[in-house]
Amino acid sequence: MINVPTAADELSKTLAARADPDFAVRMQRYFPHEIRALGVGNAAVAEIATDYFRHRRDTPAATRLLLAEELLAHAEYHEEVLLGFAVLHKVARTGLGEELLERCRHWLETYVSNWAQCDDMCLKLLYPFFLGHLELIPRTRSWAESASPWARRAANVAVVKFVRRKVGRTVFELPLSHVLDNCVRLMHDDDVYVRKGSGWLLKVTAEAHPDEVAEFLRTWHTEMPRDTFRYAVEKMDPRLRRSLMALGQG
């Protein structure tokens, strides 16, 4: 059994040893506000977590969850937040239950401070979790009501891979009402990253339901912010995209 504070300290020191100040400076271009970063790439962060557990494969998922909490509670750098998520990746699908979903909302509201951390959680932690817990996906709809813009963004980004997803021998389809209702609720959000998250979900949904999304855009184009609209039509058939863009400019 690992000692959680000791393990967190060891992992943080390993992460700090990989710091690249020049890369940290280059990272800033992707964020509208300065972030405190070590300059460690996402792949390297994931590698650190994987290497740590390579000879500790019997570590219980519950202990990993405690370790994630410890890392996040003491995180001072952007990559330490990502590391907190990374230690859970291998156990997300089958090792943890709905308690992880509850913690994710708390982390979004407490520790996540930029779009990259939000999306990392959604795509690398919540994605494998939902593969093993499809019935819990609707729970994310309540995140749209959060005071945190990152929880509101996650309400959409966490489900982008489940609009239509093959899971085992079956195909899971997110109800279209889930997508469209979410986007109506968040359409006028004052945070640009929440609005872009809505556009991203509409864009993915348009690949599976082009006619329905096009009709949704025709209905709401006078109210929909420009950035959301542009994201939504990005991968549509060129002719349909042009007609919708012309509508949006009207």
Side-chain angles (χ1 to χ4, degrees), residues 10-20 38 40 48 77 80 83:
E10 183 179 339
L11 282 163
S12 294
K13 287 178 178 176
T14 302
L15 180 67
R18 302 282 291 271
D20 181 342
L38 292 166
V40 183
I48 289 169
Y77 293 94
E80 289 177 318
L83 184 59

Side-chain angles (χ1 to χ4, degrees), residues 39-214:
V40 183
N42 289 14
V45 173
E47 181 184 336
I48 289 169
T50 299
D51 287 348
Y52 183 80
F53 288 105
R54 198 177 304 280
H55 302 295
R56 300 174 176 88
R57 298 183 187 277
D58 60 344
T59 302
T63 303
R64 289 201 189 209
L65 185 58
L66 292 174
L67 179 55
E69 294 274 14
E70 183 78 9
L71 287 164
L72 290 166
H74 295 91
E76 297 181 7
Y77 293 94
H78 167 73
E79 296 90 343
E80 289 177 318
V81 174
L82 304 185
L83 184 59
F85 303 151
V87 300
L88 293 171
H89 176 74
K90 296 294 185 181
V91 297
R93 182 166 182 170
T94 59
L96 296 165
E98 59 186 274
E99 71 275 11
L100 177 60
L101 196 58
E102 295 169 0
R103 298 319 297 160
C104 282
R105 176 166 180 166
H106 172 70
W107 296 338
L108 285 161
E109 295 177 336
T110 308
Y111 302 122
V112 169
S113 61
N114 61 61
W115 65 266
Q117 293 170 356
C118 174
D119 293 6
D120 189 88
M121 175 195 283
C122 290
L123 303 178
K124 297 180 183 177
L125 180 54
L126 285 171
Y127 170 63
F129 173 74
F130 284 137
L131 285 175
H133 303 82
L134 294 171
E135 74 283 359
L136 295 179
I137 288 177
R139 293 271 203 89
T140 60
R141 295 192 64 186
S142 68
W143 296 3
E145 302 165 4
S146 173
S148 164
W150 308 120
R152 298 197 303 275
R153 177 176 170 87
N156 282 334
V157 177
V159 298
V160 292
K161 289 193 173 185
F162 290 94
V163 171
R164 181 175 289 167
R165 169 65 51 180
K166 187 174 183 181
V167 182
R169 295 183 178 181
T170 64
V171 175
F172 173 84
E173 290 217 37
L174 190 68
L176 194 57
S177 60
H178 182 136
V179 173
L180 302 184
D181 289 351
N182 261 23
C183 291
V184 169
R185 292 164 73 193
L186 295 171
M187 185 183 305
H188 301 105
D189 200 279
D190 59 4
D191 189 280
V192 64
Y193 289 105
V194 177
R195 298 196 301 269
K196 287 182 177 180
S198 295
W200 184 0
L201 181 56
L202 286 169
K203 174 173 66 176
V204 172
T205 304
E207 295 182 48
H209 305 282
D211 294 338
E212 291 87 344
V213 173

Side-chain angles (χ1 to χ4, degrees), residues 213-234:
V213 173
E215 184 58 31
F216 178 81
L217 295 175
R218 291 188 187 100
T219 300
W220 290 98
H221 77 276
T222 57
E223 293 190 43
M224 187 174 293
R226 197 73 182 141
D227 45 15
T228 306
F229 196 92
R230 283 186 173 275
Y231 268 75
V233 302
E234 195 171 87

